[in-house]
Each structure stands twice: as C-alpha cells, then as structure tokens.
Amino acid sequence: MRPLRERIVVKARAGWMGMGRGAGSTALGLFQILPVFLCIFPSVTSPCKILKCNSEFWAATSGSHHLGTEEAPEFCTALRAYAHCTRRTARTCRGDLAYHSAVHGIDDLMVQHNCSKDGPTSQPRLRTLPPGDSQERSDSPEICHYEKSFHKHSAAPNYTHCGLFGDPHLRTFTDTFQTCKVQGAWPLIDNNYLNVQVTNTPVLPGSTATATSKLTIIFKSFQECVDQKVYQAEMDELPAAFADGSKNGGDKNGANSLKITEKVSGQHIEIQAKYIGTTIVVRQVGRYLTFAVRMPEEVVNAVEDRDSQGLYLCLRGCPLNQQIDFQTIRSAQATEGRARRKGPSLPAPPEAFTYETATAKCREKLPVEDLYFQSCVFDLLTTGDVNFMLAAYYAFEDVKMLHSNKDKLHLYERTRDLAPGNTAPSGTPPALWVALLCLSQCWLGLL
C-alpha cells in the first residue's frame, strides 16, 4: 500500500462511461462528452431536464454488457423511452449542446440496434445486477478506506466541516461564518480529489436575496478505488444516483468506497466517499438546495497550487466584495420595524415577516440565538419564505452530525475577514473563472 502522503498527491484521471452493448464509437463519443458540456455550461442546462433523461437511460442500461441478443427488445424499449423523454423537454433545451448531442446519439443507437421508433416506451427500470458485479463488491482494498490506511499507533485524522444554506450563509472549514451575495456559479471545493460547484439565483425577480438552485459534484478517478463520477442536483430534482445512473464508484475493486444513499425521497441524499474519508449531505428544502460536508484536513489541503485557490469558498471564504454586513442590515431592519409600528399601518404582502414575527418563528426550531438563529431571522425578513427557517434548522442538524468538535457547534460571532489574495476580480464575472477552471479539469480528463 502506498504511504498516505503519496496518496494525497496522486492526480485524478477522468474515466468516461460507455452504455449499451455493442454501441458504436460515434454514438458513444457523443454521450461521453456530455459531462464536459454540463461542466463548462452550467447555467445553460438549468431549465433543461436532459440530465434526468440521461440518468434514466444510463440506469436502465448500466448492466447491458451482460445482455444477450435475446434482450435487444428491452434495450430498444429503454432507447424509445429515452427519445420520448428528450421530446418532452425539447422546448426548455433549445440551444443546449448536451441536449442536441443526446438527440443525435439516440438516432445512431436506434440504427445500430435495429430499433423501431414505434413500440413500447415504458419507463426504463433499474437493473438487478448479477452476483459479483462491482455494485455489490465488498472486497475493497485497504487504500480505498481512508481511516483504515492509518496505522493503529498513528494520530487519528482531524476532520473539518463546511456548509452552505439559505440566502446563502457559508460556514468554512475553519469555522468562519459569512453571509454572501455570490450570485451565479461559484466553486465551494476544488482539490485533488473532488470539485464542488454551486449556482445561486435570485429568490424573486429583481431581488437581492439569492439561494442555491444547482449543485455539481465531480469525484475524480482515484487509483483502484473509483472511476470519475458526477453528481448533479437542481431545483425540484434531487437524484438518488450519479449522472450515469449508478450509485457507487464504478467498475474498480474499491467501487463501494463511494456510495450514494437516499435518506428522504426528493429531499435528502448522503454521499459516502470512504477512500477520502468524506461525507457529503445534500438537501432540498422548499425549492432550494443546502450542502454540508465532513472532510479530513489532509484532503481539504490537497491542492497542487494553494495560491490559485482564491475562489475556493469552503477554504478561503467569500471574497470581501461579496460579503454582506449582516449585523448592520439586521439593526436597520429592527429599527424599521419599530418605526413602522409608530407610523400609519400599511398592508403587508403575503408571507411578510416583521423582525418580531421572524424572531418568534425561528425560535420554534432554533432555541439558541446563535448565528444559525440569526441567519434564519435574516432570511425570513429578506425572502418571506418560511422554508428558509427549515434550511437553517437542517443546516445546524448537519453540523451536529458532521462536525468533529462538539464544542464548536454553535457560533456567535460572524466573521468578515479575508485571506490574502481572496478578492473576486473586478469586472470579471465569477462564472467565467469557474468555467475556465472546469474546462481545464475536463480537458485534463480527456488527455
């Protein structure tokens, strides 16, 4: 087994996924580049549901290399269901490169498998994989279990936590707590093992309040443990599988060191990446997403060029020009509430909260007036959406489960500071930097 330090510097390699027994190189090539499009153009795919169509088809055909010729009709049924799914989402996918690649790929596969366009289009089902398939292996090598790689007399790894929730509030790996604007696409984590990117959109048209509407996680290929896997969630779509329809790390011996588990259908999933000692929790609360992670410090700091990690939010925090002075806004809102009571009464919009009613509502779930409580009050005042109270509540529940230091669960002082060099370039959209980052990662995977 390689020493632990050697594990940390191993570079990831992308592992492209095939689908369908006997699929030709032309059709497969089109599908293999879909993750690249999803990575580089995240904003384009937001209203388009091609990802769901891809996942359903890949899930139905993931075991197709075991099929005999007598099961070709089943493959054609799944293919017709795939085509039907793309037609349903055609209007929202106009101009989407991944969508058009999928449509052309379907046509090629129809020809190669002699599938008729007329026939049953039942929804594709998940296959029950035969005994011995990688989805059920339990003989993972020791290197694929982070904690087991430590010797008995070695110091236990030190775990850290990062979380993002609400409008949006960020708790970094160093327990810095910030409220940020960060509209658009931003990287939360970017190290040698995985990338996490979020997209935040306005809660209401013209509103300054934003929340996380999309989340993409890329687990990089690692030795004999896992293939590259992509997980993507959007508003109203929290899949219980990776983008290829699988629920583990692929075909390698240590595939089960990466697993995804659905805790509550459509609301709560958990991803265990044992090969890097990491646990990720993703929730959908109301319409928006929350993110929480538990990760060893050694993995957190496994970056080739630390100076280039200026936009790695979980490590460095939000850039100064993206941070919100929460205390000033909260004081102004409380003063405004008192002034409103003294002046003429005006009709309040539905779901509007005053400072007092927001405080009372948040106290129902968060009795300790820490920063999670204050974030809850802030979000109710800025959005009027009671689901943001639940987002703060579940974010704190995740902290209790994931944080290694139980004395640091509650935070009371909001931090507004900045690591050297952590400034968003003025005049340059953050999404452009993220796109360039993703492009470089995807290009390396193709080499």
Side-chain angles (χ1 to χ4, degrees), residues 165-169 201 203 209-212 285-288 362 366 372 375-394:
F165 67 97
D167 176 20
H169 308 284
T201 54
V203 175
T210 61
T212 301
V285 186
R287 298 184 62 216
Y288 298 100
C362 291
L366 299 162
Y372 289 89
S375 298
C376 172
V377 174
F378 176 82
D379 288 354
L380 290 185
L381 291 172
T382 55
T383 69
D385 185 349
V386 73
N387 286 305
F388 281 80
M389 173 195 69
L390 296 175
Y393 167 75
Y394 285 122

Side-chain angles (χ1 to χ4, degrees), residues 2 86 99 102 146 178 181 197 219 301 328 346 392:
R2 295 187 180 184
T86 61
Y99 167 78
Y146 184 80
Q178 299 169 342
K181 294 180 259 186
Q197 177 182 295
F219 294 90
N301 295 309
T328 300
L346 297 174

Side-chain angles (χ1 to χ4, degrees), residues 231-432:
Y231 179 80
Q232 191 167 49
E234 302 180 30
M235 288 192 302
D236 303 320
E237 189 174 332
L238 188 69
F242 295 108
D244 62 354
S246 68
K247 293 193 174 186
N248 78 347
D251 294 324
K252 295 183 178 180
N253 288 333
N256 279 336
S257 62
L258 176 62
K259 279 187 175 181
I260 182 169
T261 304
E262 185 175 61
K263 298 295 186 178
V264 180
S265 179
Q267 298 180 29
H268 179 191
I269 66 102
E270 184 176 300
I271 302 175
Q272 291 280 352
K274 292 183 179 180
Y275 66 102
I276 51 174
T278 296
T279 300
I280 294 175
V281 175
V282 183
R283 299 178 187 265
Q284 177 166 307
V285 186
R287 298 184 62 216
Y288 298 100
L289 304 172
T290 70
F291 171 85
V293 62
R294 180 179 187 261
M295 182 180 290
E297 274 188 355
E298 190 172 25
V299 177
V300 169
N301 295 309
V303 293
E304 294 180 5
D305 183 4
R306 192 178 181 88
D307 293 335
S308 70
Q309 303 301 309
L311 293 178
Y312 177 170
L313 300 187
C314 275
L315 183 63
R316 305 290 290 272
C318 297
L320 186 61
N321 58 6
Q322 293 292 315
Q323 295 179 33
I324 296 173
D325 189 343
F326 176 88
Q327 301 292 350
T328 300
I329 293 178
R330 189 182 66 165
S331 299
Q333 289 166 332
T335 302
E336 181 182 351
R338 289 191 294 270
R340 188 183 295 115
R341 289 198 300 272
K342 294 179 181 179
S345 60
L346 297 174
E351 303 297 328
F353 284 90
T354 65
Y355 183 78
E356 289 76 13
T357 58
T359 299
K361 191 67 178 176
C362 291
R363 197 170 283 122
E364 294 176 7
K365 288 286 189 180
L366 299 162
V368 178
E369 295 192 12
D370 60 0
L371 289 177
Y372 289 89
F373 172 86
Q374 294 177 25
S375 298
C376 172
V377 174
F378 176 82
D379 288 354
L380 290 185
L381 291 172
T382 55
T383 69
D385 185 349
V386 73
N387 286 305
F388 281 80
M389 173 195 69
L390 296 175
Y393 167 75
Y394 285 122
F396 185 68
E397 290 298 300
D398 291 337
V399 170
K400 290 193 292 185
M401 179 181 71
L402 300 174
H403 205 292
S404 59
N405 189 340
K406 302 307 177 185
D407 294 329
K408 291 186 177 181
L409 300 183
H410 295 282
L411 296 177
Y412 296 93
E413 292 184 8
R414 184 173 302 268
T415 309
R416 182 179 169 83
D417 60 7
L418 200 64
N422 189 21
T423 304
S426 58
T428 305
L432 176 59

Side-chain angles (χ1 to χ4, degrees), residues 37-48 92 94-96 183-186 197-201 213-214 216 232 234 431-432 434-435:
F37 290 129
L38 292 172
C39 177
I40 301 174
F41 303 109
S43 60
V44 176
T45 61
S46 182
C48 176
T92 57
R94 187 173 301 167
D96 187 285
Q183 181 174 334
W186 290 79
Q197 177 182 295
V198 293
T199 300
N200 302 312
T201 54
S213 58
K214 185 174 182 178
T216 301
Q232 191 167 49
E234 302 180 30
L432 176 59
V434 175

